[in-house]
Amino acid sequence: MTKHIGAPAAATTGPARVRLAREERRAVVIGSGFGGGVAALRLAQAGVPVTVLERGRRWPTGPNSETFSRVSGLDKRALWYGTLPAAVRPLAQLIRTPLNFGPYVGLLEPVLGQNILGVCAAGVGGGSLVYQGMTLQPSEEVFNTWLPQELDYRRMNEVHYPRVAAMLRTATAPDELVSSSNYSAARVFAERVRRAGYGLEKIPMPIDWDYALAELRGEMKPSYTNGDCALGVNNGGKHSVDVTYLSQAEATGKVTVETHHNVTSVARAADGRWEVHVDRDLSTNSAMRLPGRIVPHALLITTTAVPLTGCVVHALTLHRRLADARRDLLRWPYCGPGPTPSPSPRSGGGGFRRCRCPSPSRSRSLSSVSRRLWRW
């Protein structure tokens, strides 16, 4: 049996009986990040009732909220309770912080691979809750070099990229913010880039910068301006999927977001429909803070459509469990982060970016997150 972080100890009297429920839905979207949010909205706009399955919880924000854990003081909110201990150890070593938390439906799940440690988000909004928001549009040359020829750059440039920018309300950081003492490292880097003869421009990001300016004025507790936004922006003002695509999707009345629903497998039934196997937690958030109180109930959902979205690492893991249905499911278009219909968030070292770079670079330290305002 695989043990998970914060998992309750095994009962000595044998495993408890797990209740199985069965439901039937028209369309099921797995994951509520960029892929799930966009898929749910587009299906709803087409008149299709949609159920979005999200293993995490909602993370409501607002001025001076304490919804997310802070970089300076990590707690149980940082980790999803299904995290494997083997994946926690290298992360704890990397950030030099103990991560011995009790069970909680936290924000992040480190996933240990071969010579790599991936991190997947758990929560309504998915990875958009923690991604840095670098909303960069590739040049036509880069686009045509790296993406399938069936995709038309001109249409992307005229329709889809502007549509994403409008939905996310992207904007560059104001000079007033960049000139503050908090961003001295970004200014030094920018000066060295100019001295080296490179062009420099700010990165559009899905942020209402008035929130960051309010922090500088002391009107809100720091979140953007001290790097805590790496684990979610407590003050709000970030146009993440939960307050954009998913919010509009739910407003149609055709989309239901089911939180605490962890999909364990997807299989093709004999009648050609999909069977989605789910562990769902019917406990309250307060109950989930106590060892032994995270009690999943099994759920079997039958549906005719199941777009698979979300973290690439998780998607690949789920694909491996599909057995005979795997080949059929992979015929569905992947709805994760990409050129359409969602932006491809790309973080750059020290806050700068070569515009011609065709692929995401390695992530840098959490402390430098709030300084990443430029690309070069």
Side-chain angles (χ1 to χ4, degrees):
M1 180 178 68
T2 301
K3 183 174 176 59
H4 294 77
I5 197 78
T12 56
T13 58
R17 185 183 296 274
V18 176
R19 186 175 63 194
L20 175 64
R22 295 176 182 269
E23 297 178 3
E24 185 164 342
R25 305 292 175 89
R26 173 63 181 86
V28 172
V29 172
I30 302 173
S32 66
F34 273 113
V38 175
L41 176 58
R42 300 297 178 242
L43 285 169
Q45 289 173 334
V48 179
V50 182
T51 299
V52 178
L53 301 179
E54 169 55 54
R55 62 182 180 151
R57 47 167 285 195
R58 292 184 184 268
W59 297 87
T61 61
N64 296 318
S65 294
E66 292 290 341
T67 300
F68 298 103
S69 176
R70 293 184 176 272
V71 173
S72 57
L74 296 178
D75 55 39
K76 61 191 174 185
R77 291 172 294 176
L79 284 182
W80 186 66
Y81 68 84
T83 301
L84 295 173
V88 173
R89 285 191 289 269
L91 180 60
Q93 293 172 358
L94 177 66
I95 63 177
R96 299 180 181 179
T97 301
L99 299 174
N100 301 319
F101 309 133
Y104 192 75
V105 184
L107 183 60
L108 300 174
E109 179 193 8
V111 180
L112 186 62
Q114 187 172 358
N115 298 321
I116 189 172
L117 180 69
V119 180
C120 297
V124 177
S128 75
L129 297 172
V130 293
Y131 90 120
Q132 303 313 308
M134 278 57 173
T135 312
L136 302 178
Q137 178 178 335
S139 67
E140 185 172 5
E141 178 184 5
V142 169
F143 185 96
N144 291 333
T145 299
W146 294 99
L147 295 173
Q149 61 182 0
E150 290 80 8
L151 295 177
D152 180 8
Y153 180 82
R154 291 186 180 181
R155 179 168 177 79
M156 294 290 297
N157 183 54
E158 294 172 0
V159 178
H160 297 293
Y161 283 124
R163 180 181 294 168
V164 169
M167 173 67 83
L168 299 182
R169 287 171 281 170
T170 58
T172 57
D175 292 339
E176 179 183 354
L177 182 70
V178 180
S179 62
S180 68
S181 59
N182 301 59
Y183 297 90
S184 59
R187 295 197 303 276
V188 170
F189 203 116
E191 178 56 33
R192 292 181 179 179
V193 168
R194 294 190 184 99
R195 240 187 282 161
Y198 291 106
L200 185 78
E201 59 182 291
K202 296 177 183 177
I203 299 174
M205 303 174 73
I207 292 173
D208 182 345
W209 293 105
D210 285 343
Y211 283 73
L213 293 174
E215 292 180 15
L216 288 182
R217 295 191 297 267
E219 298 170 6
M220 298 182 193
K221 289 186 285 188
S223 186
Y224 289 103
T225 53
N226 67 352
D228 279 340
C229 54
L231 293 178
V233 182
N234 279 311
N235 285 331
K238 183 179 182 182
H239 309 310
S240 48
V241 170
D242 53 322
V243 296
T244 53
Y245 288 100
L246 271 179
S247 177
Q248 288 193 19
E250 291 182 286
T252 66
K254 290 187 173 296
V255 174
T256 301
V257 178
E258 299 283 9
T259 59
H260 307 294
H261 280 58
N262 184 35
V263 175
T264 57
S265 67
V266 180
R268 187 76 115 174
D271 61 4
R273 294 183 297 173
W274 294 102
E275 291 184 345
V276 182
H277 295 257
V278 182
D279 284 344
R280 63 176 173 180
D281 193 326
L282 303 181
S283 309
T284 63
N285 281 337
S286 59
M288 285 186 286
R289 299 176 187 177
L290 304 175
R293 294 293 298 278
I294 299 179
V295 183
H297 290 67
L299 173 65
L300 174 61
I301 299 176
T302 303
T303 180
T304 56
V306 55
L308 182 63
T309 71
C311 175
V312 173
V313 176
H314 253 302
L316 293 176
T317 301
L318 191 55
H319 283 166
R320 295 191 188 102
R321 301 174 183 170
L322 295 181
D324 295 337
R326 180 182 182 186
R327 183 174 301 172
D328 291 332
L329 183 62
L330 291 179
R331 293 195 183 107
W332 279 89
Y334 172 63
C335 296
T340 178
S342 63
S344 180
R346 299 172 181 180
S347 58
F352 298 85
R353 190 79 181 164
R354 287 184 185 272
C355 299
R356 62 179 178 274
C357 182
S359 60
S361 66
R362 298 182 183 90
S363 296
R364 303 302 189 222
S365 65
L366 295 179
S367 61
S368 67
V369 166
S370 61
R371 279 76 171 177
R372 298 178 186 164
L373 303 175
W374 310 82
R375 67 177 181 180
W376 63 286

